[in-house]
Amino acid sequence: MTEVTSRNVAGDKPIQIHDPTLRDGHHAVRHSLGAEQLRAYALAADAAGVPVVEVGHGNGLGASSLQVGRARLSDDEMLTVTRDALTNSKLGVFMLPGWGTIEDLKNAIAHDVDLVRIGTHCTESSLAERHLGFLREQGVEAHAVLLMSHMATPGKLAEHCARLVEFGATGVGIMDSAGHYLPADVTERITAMCGAVDVPVIFHGHNNLGMAVANSIAAADAGASILDACARGFGAGAGNTQLEVLVPVLERVGYRTGIDLYGLLDAADVAERDLMPAPPTVDSISIVSGLAGVFSGFKTPVLDVSAREGVDPRDVFFELGRRQAVAGQEDLIVDVALALRGAGTGDRS
Amino acid sequence: MTEVTSRNVAGDKPIQIHDPTLRDGHHAVRHSLGAEQLRAYALAADAAGVPVVEVGHGNGLGASSLQVGRARLSDDEMLTVTRDALTNSKLGVFMLPGWGTIEDLKNAIAHDVDLVRIGTHCTESSLAERHLGFLREQGVEAHAVLLMSHMATPGKLAEHCARLVEFGATGVGIMDSAGHYLPADVTERITAMCGAVDVPVIFHGHNNLGMAVANSIAAADAGASILDACARGFGAGAGNTQLEVLVPVLERVGYRTGIDLYGLLDAADVAERDLMPAPPTVDSISIVSGLAGVFSGFKTPVLDVSAREGVDPRDVFFELGRRQAVAGQEDLIVDVALALRGAGTGDRS
């Protein structure tokens, strides 16, 4: 500690950084990034040596819609400009089966994507079978991630990861979509997953409990070899793991990312200046949704319904957590609010 | 993890939260809080059951000055309004000998403060001897903290803590003033300190490397029994440990703070609405100053001097870290910038 920490401290354990700033971060600005913004950030990330740059609508290929928000640019436009900007970094895309289809995958392949990630709810890996099979046939590198992973046990996650590998995934992992994990939770899950598969294991953190960096380090220490992180923590709600913090911390504890620190800070400065009005912060609702283990995308409807029904939105989040609500079940919010109103606010334990 | 996390989860290991939102947080708004702001936050923290509310100029009693900034209110005014607002929480003050004097302590005692903290640089505990002795004579509870503590070894910190206890401190601890620590660093230091003294041990974190909450948990696990944290992370540079995140995370891992979660979130909402235009964020310079182990208050002069001399401010920070620069040595910034300019920017390893 009294020794100097300089620009070029680097460890020797290789780890791969996967950067979804231009995809998951897109949630923070309602999918509104334009071509010049995508280009500026992609060029900076490429220059810094970031291994994978993922781009798209926040919900992935094919997801632009009235329901979750229309992206400013089409998938075609986003893929064209980002492909053009990347010289060394791989171009990645994300897809949730149901939002996107095989046709969207074909289109992405036509744009020469290097890596496709397929996401499913943590207990629904079978939804990815057909898409992973298609990508294997096409010879495209395909990874798979389990969303809202705190809702399944380590054993179940390990089983689903093994199944995803059978389907063709050459990398598998978990997202802490609700920002619910503490480091010991991550250690337990990544350890179980690493014991079940022989492919690289992925961890994707969120910062609702201020633990995104610490959880990512715990994941690496437990054997994860691909970590997701976004410039400035750019992402939905409390944000994702902050890329330019994670990288030097990883290097300091003995990992080697291959990323140049100053280049990375320059990319973060581009994100700060060109992509976002202000970075994500951890507000009270983010904390409650993280504690309750509920997707932070519920924030706006929970606040609206709670105000209308005269109940405490924090109670609504905790009750949604008890009921294991997941994205798509927004109708539950009204049920919960009415039940709490009936029970009276004095009884909100 | 699949069990529900609700409002009232609490562990059974007692731990005390010390809240310097209205003192250390004051740095973030150039010591400009007015009486109504102090009152609003103190009332909310008191209602939530926060054990200690610390108030004052960011640099403590007597520090308001042209050099580090004049506070909007005098110490007298700040103490009067905060004392008046607190029913259950203790009223705390902070003093750096040299900035404040025995006269300032007498004045604070006349305002009926419950707890005085004396701070010194990590290797200068002897500077606190006279003040701690005075407070012991007066029968006022007195704690002592070592600043920029990453610049001393665990053994040295333990020695200085033991000396502070001899001087009269009934609580001793460390501040991670530069935001340089990772959890293993904290564990090592707190363990050494707990082995050397029989009084409560204090940890005060900063968030430059995204680790303030994780470091605070590491401190508790190593035996610290008093943790500092500020609403919304309100503080200089990248900010302090975020209070309303730390408390529920502590409770989840088995500690008992005695603080009501909803009351605490309400206090954080008061801070968000009434105290700050925007909470602290981790920008590129915060990361570099944390990595380099340099006080983040150097940011503005480093940026100014670097622009003037045409050198990279990040190089300046790393070189200041190598030279073990501490607050008060701002003249070094010019020396470093000139040396780097002489060496040429191409040689900035």
Side-chain angles (χ1 to χ4, degrees), chain A residues 17-275:
Chain A
I17 296 295
H18 183 107
D19 175 358
T21 301
L22 301 179
R23 195 277 304 167
D24 207 11
H26 225 158
H27 281 293
V29 289
R30 296 169 182 247
H31 325 288
S32 67
L33 297 177
E36 276 316 302
Q37 292 170 302
L38 298 181
R39 183 177 161 75
Y41 183 77
L43 284 171
D46 189 83
V50 171
V52 182
V53 172
E54 194 178 279
V55 70
H57 183 282
N59 296 45
L61 293 175
S64 180
S65 63
L66 275 180
Q67 192 185 344
V68 292
R70 288 210 181 280
R72 176 160 165 197
L73 301 181
S74 68
D75 286 348
D76 278 330
E77 290 168 318
M78 289 191 270
L79 288 167
T80 300
V81 67
T82 313
R83 173 77 284 166
D84 185 57
L86 299 180
T87 303
N88 299 305
S89 307
K90 288 184 179 179
L91 173 60
V93 290
F94 179 72
M95 200 186 91
L96 294 164
W99 292 101
T101 65
I102 296 281
E103 290 308 309
D104 293 305
L105 293 179
K106 287 181 186 165
N107 187 46
I109 293 168
H111 280 283
D112 202 20
V113 297
D114 299 302
L115 173 62
V116 178
R117 269 218 192 145
I118 305 292
T120 73
H121 182 68
C122 59
T123 55
E124 307 298 322
S125 60
S126 59
L127 285 176
E129 181 171 10
R130 205 161 56 88
H131 306 81
L132 290 170
F134 172 77
L135 292 164
R136 177 157 57 183
E137 280 167 25
Q138 299 292 314
V140 176
E141 190 178 3
H143 291 176
V145 287
L146 300 166
L147 279 61
M148 293 295 284
S149 60
H150 71 284
M151 300 180 82
T153 62
K156 275 285 163 204
L157 294 174
E159 279 175 33
H160 283 281
C161 284
R163 209 169 302 162
L164 290 164
V165 172
E166 285 168 24
F167 297 157
T170 58
V172 292
I174 53 174
M175 293 191 163
D176 180 18
S177 311
H180 184 69
Y181 287 141
L182 300 180
D185 306 318
V186 175
T187 301
E188 193 184 15
R189 281 163 173 73
I190 298 292
T191 301
M193 291 156 56
C194 288
V197 300
D198 288 325
V199 301
V201 164
I202 303 160
F203 179 74
H204 173 109
H206 281 260
N207 203 37
N208 298 61
L209 301 181
M211 286 292 188
V213 176
N215 284 343
S216 300
I217 300 294
D221 289 347
S225 51
I226 301 176
L227 299 177
D228 285 11
C230 293
R232 300 283 283 160
F234 200 33
N240 291 47
T241 310
Q242 191 170 345
L243 174 61
E244 68 278 17
V245 176
L246 177 64
V247 166
V249 170
L250 279 169
E251 305 265 355
R252 192 161 131 192
V253 297
Y255 294 94
R256 190 179 68 246
T257 64
I259 297 173
D260 176 67
L261 177 60
Y262 282 13
L264 186 65
L265 295 171
D266 290 341
D269 290 343
V270 167
E272 181 178 3
R273 195 183 58 229
D274 293 350
L275 304 188

Side-chain angles (χ1 to χ4, degrees), chain B residues 14-27:
Chain B
I15 197 147
Q16 181 168 306
I17 296 295
H18 183 107
D19 175 358
T21 301
L22 301 179
R23 195 278 303 168
D24 208 12
H26 225 159
H27 281 294

Side-chain angles (χ1 to χ4, degrees), chain B residues 13 53-54 57 65 171 185 223 245 255 258 280 304 309 327 331 347:
Chain B
K13 292 176 281 183
V53 172
E54 192 177 281
H57 182 283
S65 62
D185 307 317
V245 176
Y255 294 94
D304 290 350
E309 302 298 340
D331 290 352
D347 189 33

Side-chain angles (χ1 to χ4, degrees), chain B:
Chain B
M1 290 288 298
T2 45
E3 80 275 19
V4 170
T5 305
S6 73
R7 175 184 184 179
N8 291 324
V9 173
D12 53 11
K13 292 176 281 183
I15 197 147
Q16 181 168 306
I17 296 295
H18 183 107
D19 175 358
T21 301
L22 301 179
R23 195 278 303 168
D24 208 12
H26 225 159
H27 281 294
V29 289
R30 296 169 182 247
H31 325 288
S32 68
L33 297 177
E36 276 316 303
Q37 292 171 302
L38 297 181
R39 183 178 161 76
Y41 183 76
L43 284 171
D46 189 84
V50 172
V52 182
V53 172
E54 192 177 281
V55 71
H57 182 283
N59 297 45
L61 293 175
S64 180
S65 62
L66 275 180
Q67 191 184 343
V68 293
R70 287 212 182 277
R72 174 159 166 199
L73 302 180
S74 67
D75 286 349
D76 278 329
E77 290 167 318
M78 289 192 270
L79 288 168
T80 300
V81 67
T82 312
R83 173 77 283 168
D84 185 57
L86 299 179
T87 303
N88 299 304
S89 306
K90 287 184 180 179
L91 173 61
V93 290
F94 179 72
M95 200 185 91
L96 294 165
W99 291 100
T101 66
I102 296 280
E103 290 307 308
D104 293 304
L105 293 179
K106 287 182 186 166
N107 187 46
I109 293 168
H111 279 284
D112 202 19
V113 297
D114 299 302
L115 174 62
V116 177
R117 269 214 193 151
I118 305 292
T120 74
H121 183 67
C122 59
T123 54
E124 307 299 323
S125 60
S126 59
L127 285 176
E129 180 171 10
R130 205 162 55 88
H131 305 81
L132 289 170
F134 173 76
L135 292 164
R136 177 158 57 183
E137 280 167 23
Q138 299 292 315
V140 176
E141 191 178 0
H143 290 176
V145 288
L146 299 166
L147 279 62
M148 294 294 285
S149 59
H150 71 284
M151 300 180 83
T153 62
K156 276 285 164 204
L157 294 174
E159 278 174 35
H160 283 281
C161 284
R163 209 169 303 162
L164 290 165
V165 173
E166 285 168 24
F167 298 158
T170 58
V172 292
I174 52 174
M175 293 191 163
D176 180 18
S177 311
H180 183 70
Y181 287 141
L182 301 180
D185 307 317
V186 176
T187 300
E188 193 184 13
R189 280 162 175 73
I190 298 291
T191 301
M193 292 157 55
C194 288
V197 300
D198 288 325
V199 301
V201 164
I202 302 160
F203 179 73
H204 174 110
H206 280 259
N207 203 40
N208 298 62
L209 301 180
M211 284 293 188
V213 175
N215 284 345
S216 300
I217 300 293
D221 289 347
S225 51
I226 301 176
L227 298 178
D228 285 10
C230 293
R232 299 285 283 161
F234 200 35
N240 291 48
T241 309
Q242 192 171 343
L243 175 62
E244 68 277 17
V245 176
L246 177 64
V247 166
V249 170
L250 279 169
E251 305 266 355
R252 192 162 131 191
V253 297
Y255 294 94
R256 190 179 68 245
T257 64
I259 297 174
D260 177 68
L261 177 60
Y262 282 13
L264 186 66
L265 295 171
D266 290 340
D269 291 344
V270 167
E272 181 178 4
R273 194 182 59 229
D274 293 350
L275 304 189
M276 289 180 294
T281 61
V282 184
D283 64 13
S284 292
I285 290 293
S286 301
I287 296 165
V288 170
S289 64
L291 290 170
V294 176
F295 176 53
S296 63
F298 278 31
K299 177 177 173 176
T300 304
V302 165
L303 291 176
D304 290 350
V305 170
S306 299
R308 196 172 70 220
E309 302 298 340
V311 297
D312 191 316
R314 302 172 293 195
D315 290 333
V316 174
F317 265 111
F318 281 124
E319 184 59 25
L320 287 168
R322 270 181 213 106
R323 297 193 188 188
Q324 305 262 306
V326 297
Q329 297 182 324
E330 281 78 355
D331 290 352
L332 261 182
I333 297 170
V334 176
D335 295 352
V336 164
L338 291 174
L340 288 170
R341 198 185 59 177
T345 52
D347 189 33
R348 57 178 195 191
S349 66

